[in-house]
Amino acid sequence: VQLVESGGGLVEPGGSLRLSCAASERGFTFADYTVAWFRQAPGKEREGVAGYIIMDGVTLYQDSAKGRFTISTDRGMRTVYLQMNNLKPEDSAMYYCAALWRYAYSWKDPSSYDHWGQGTQVTVSS
C-alpha cells in the first residue's frame, strides 16, 4: 500500500496546518491499522509525533506535540489527518505518514511500520 501525504507548507509561528494521508489503493481503509505521523529535520533522526491505534481508538503523542497536535481519521477511515496548531519553528521538518496492519511493537519506532508515504514539508518561519 502506498501512502500519499498532503497539506504541508510554509506557515508563521503560531499558525496551523492540517496534514492528510491517504492510500493510493482504491477501497483501502485504515480500520485495522496502527498509523503514525513521523517527522525528520535535516541532520536529525526520524521521530514519532503522533500515533493512532485505530482498532482500539487510542491516540498517542510525543510530549512536544501534546495539546497542539491531533491525529484523527475521517468517518470512513480512508484518510488520516494531523491537525497542528500553535506551530513553532522547531516543528519544521519533513512529515511522513506510516501504517502497520494491526499493532506496532512500539508506535514511535519507525522500523515498526510497513507502509510509508513520500513526505510533505512543513516549514514554520516568519
Side-chain angles (χ1 to χ4, degrees):
V1 174
Q2 180 62 44
L3 305 179
V4 180
E5 303 99 332
S6 62
L10 173 64
V11 64
E12 293 185 348
S16 298
L17 283 174
R18 188 176 78 161
L19 307 183
S20 300
C21 171
S24 59
E25 183 177 298
R26 190 173 180 177
F28 176 88
T29 76
F30 290 103
D32 295 320
Y33 281 74
T34 294
V35 296
W37 286 95
F38 287 80
R39 67 186 180 189
Q40 189 167 19
K44 295 188 176 181
E45 292 187 353
R46 190 169 296 192
E47 61 176 359
V49 175
Y52 191 2
I53 307 172
I54 295 177
M55 298 82 65
D56 299 337
V58 174
T59 56
L60 305 127
Y61 297 95
Q62 184 198 70
D63 286 346
S64 67
K66 289 178 181 177
R68 300 189 301 128
F69 293 5
T70 303
I71 188 170
S72 64
T73 66
D74 65 344
R75 181 173 291 185
M77 298 184 187
R78 296 179 184 276
T79 303
V80 178
Y81 301 105
L82 183 68
Q83 177 68 44
M84 304 186 294
N85 299 326
N86 190 22
L87 282 161
K88 305 175 181 181
E90 52 264 40
D91 294 318
S92 297
M94 185 72 79
Y95 281 71
Y96 299 89
C97 176
L100 174 72
W101 188 70
R102 305 297 288 175
Y103 297 97
Y105 179 75
S106 171
W107 79 269
K108 287 185 176 182
D109 184 356
S111 67
S112 297
Y113 296 86
D114 293 331
H115 309 291
W116 288 87
Q118 81 291 346
T120 186
Q121 179 67 42
V122 171
T123 303
V124 185
S125 175
S126 55

